């Protein structure tokens, strides 16, 4: 399949990302010069003025390239993707974070890998050669690595990075997988990839370096780790 015949809908959920959203948009346009794409910003009622920045970006790049599809309050990551999917006109969908932890420079590699392999899903991974993490302390690295090793051991998903949230999906595949997911928060990405694997979808990986957020505060805490462990047990019992 030729990339020129495809359209990529990039769903970017935001909450208080005023300082990051303009740069992430600029970098997406910089690295996808010869690709048909749209950016769908799903903002959950950010009080910091994120939506006002996005509206200014729309005047610069066009409302057909940047779609602002806000929600009134924080309603969770999974439902943000579902909301964005309703407005996606592409046959492929990219999900990525707005906080610059997912660098748009990897998007051409995702697209190239999908074209070469015909994969249903291409996921960024920190845990193969060429991948990594920058800006995390040792505790955070060990927590993330331990979470992945535990999930690998129990679930055998065939994917090296279960909790990553930088992925390219065939739109129909994302619609199918997301409709069978029930998890919220930190566990959601893991359930998505495990369900996709169980359904027999072709999954490929691209090494990425995850960079800790530049502006703003991380949203991972003790409660998310507890939810992760509960979600692991749930997936072990239901997949």
């Amino acid at each position: 399949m030729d990339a020129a015949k495809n359209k990529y809908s990039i769903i970017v959920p935001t909450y208080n990302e005023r300082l990051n959203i303009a740069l992430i948009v600029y970098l997406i346009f910089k690295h996808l010069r010869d690709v048909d794409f749209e950016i769908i910003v799903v903002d959950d009622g950010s009080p910091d003025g994120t939506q006002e920045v996005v509206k200014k970006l729309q005047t610069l790049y066009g409302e057909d390239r940047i779609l602002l599809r806000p929600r009134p309050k924080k309603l969770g990551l999974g439902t943000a993707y579902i909301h964005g999917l309703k407005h996606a006109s592409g046959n492929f969908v990219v999900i990525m974070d707005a906080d610059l932890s997912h660098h748009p420079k990897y998007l051409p590699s995702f697209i190239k890998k999908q074209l070469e392999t015909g994969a249903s899903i291409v996921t960024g991974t920190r845990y193969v050669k060429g991948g990594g993490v920058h800006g995390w302390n040792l505790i955070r690295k060990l927590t993330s690595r331990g979470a992945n090793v535990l999930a690998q051991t129990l679930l055998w998903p065939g994917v090296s990075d279960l909790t990553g949230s930088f992925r390219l999906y065939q739109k129909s595949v994302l619609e199918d997988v997301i409709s069978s997911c029930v998890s919220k928060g930190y566990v959601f990405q893991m359930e998505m990839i495990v369900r996709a694997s169980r359904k027999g979808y072709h999954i490929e990986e691209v090494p990425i370096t995850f960079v800790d957020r530049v502006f703003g505060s991380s949203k991972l805490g003790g409660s998310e780790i507890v939810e992760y462990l509960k979600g692991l047990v749930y997936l072990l019992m239901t997949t």
Side-chain angles (χ1 to χ4, degrees):
M1 193 180 285
D2 186 353
K5 297 175 182 175
N6 295 324
K7 182 174 182 179
Y8 299 85
S9 298
I10 303 169
I11 300 176
V12 183
T14 57
Y15 185 76
N16 286 349
E17 298 292 357
R18 177 178 61 85
L19 297 173
N20 294 318
I21 191 64
L23 184 52
I24 200 85
V25 166
Y26 164 77
L27 289 170
I28 291 171
F29 274 88
K30 177 184 176 182
H31 289 284
L32 294 182
R33 292 187 187 278
D34 301 316
V35 175
D36 185 12
F37 70 91
E38 62 186 2
I39 302 170
I40 303 170
V41 179
V42 180
D43 184 72
D44 278 1
S46 296
D48 74 337
T50 297
Q51 290 185 34
E52 285 66 33
V53 175
V54 175
K55 288 172 184 173
K56 290 178 181 176
L57 292 169
Q58 286 180 312
T59 64
L60 186 62
Y61 293 103
E63 292 186 23
D64 59 326
R65 305 299 302 278
I66 299 179
L67 288 66
L68 175 60
R69 298 295 181 263
R71 303 190 297 175
K73 60 181 181 179
K74 289 186 79 171
L75 296 168
L77 196 57
T79 57
Y81 294 138
I82 292 170
H83 185 73
L85 259 175
K86 292 175 184 174
H87 304 283
S89 61
N91 54 325
F92 286 90
V93 176
V94 173
I95 60 172
M96 64 186 300
D97 294 345
D99 62 6
L100 301 175
S101 57
H102 299 150
H103 200 295
K105 70 182 179 183
Y106 295 112
L107 288 171
S109 300
F110 279 50
I111 292 169
K112 182 170 181 278
K113 175 70 78 170
Q114 194 287 320
L115 292 171
E116 288 174 347
T117 63
S120 302
I121 303 167
V122 178
T123 182
T125 177
R126 298 161 285 186
Y127 302 124
V128 297
K129 186 177 180 181
V133 175
H134 180 76
W136 279 5
N137 61 30
L138 182 60
I139 297 298
R140 184 90 189 265
K141 285 181 179 177
L142 289 174
T143 300
S144 177
R145 191 63 156 155
N148 264 281
V149 169
L150 186 61
Q152 295 286 343
T153 305
L154 295 176
L155 299 174
W156 289 92
V159 179
S160 66
D161 193 343
L162 285 166
T163 55
S165 53
F166 193 5
R167 295 176 184 157
L168 167 68
Y169 289 86
Q170 290 182 13
K171 185 181 179 184
S172 58
V173 171
L174 180 56
E175 289 171 332
D176 177 40
V177 172
I178 210 168
S179 66
S180 59
C181 290
V182 300
S183 301
K184 300 280 193 296
Y186 193 55
V187 185
F188 174 74
Q189 302 294 358
M190 180 171 67
E191 182 176 6
M192 288 269 285
I193 209 72
V194 171
R195 298 267 180 219
S197 178
R198 297 294 191 267
K199 286 171 178 281
Y201 286 121
H202 178 184
I203 304 169
E204 292 283 344
E205 296 186 315
V206 168
I208 64 166
T209 296
F210 178 97
V211 180
D212 200 17
R213 61 164 44 251
V214 180
F215 297 111
S217 58
S218 174
K219 300 173 178 76
L220 176 65
S223 62
E224 283 80 8
I225 294 170
V226 172
E227 285 302 312
Y228 171 83
L229 294 173
K230 284 160 63 177
L232 197 61
V233 173
Y234 166 74
L235 289 173
L236 187 61
M237 296 172 66
T238 61
T239 62

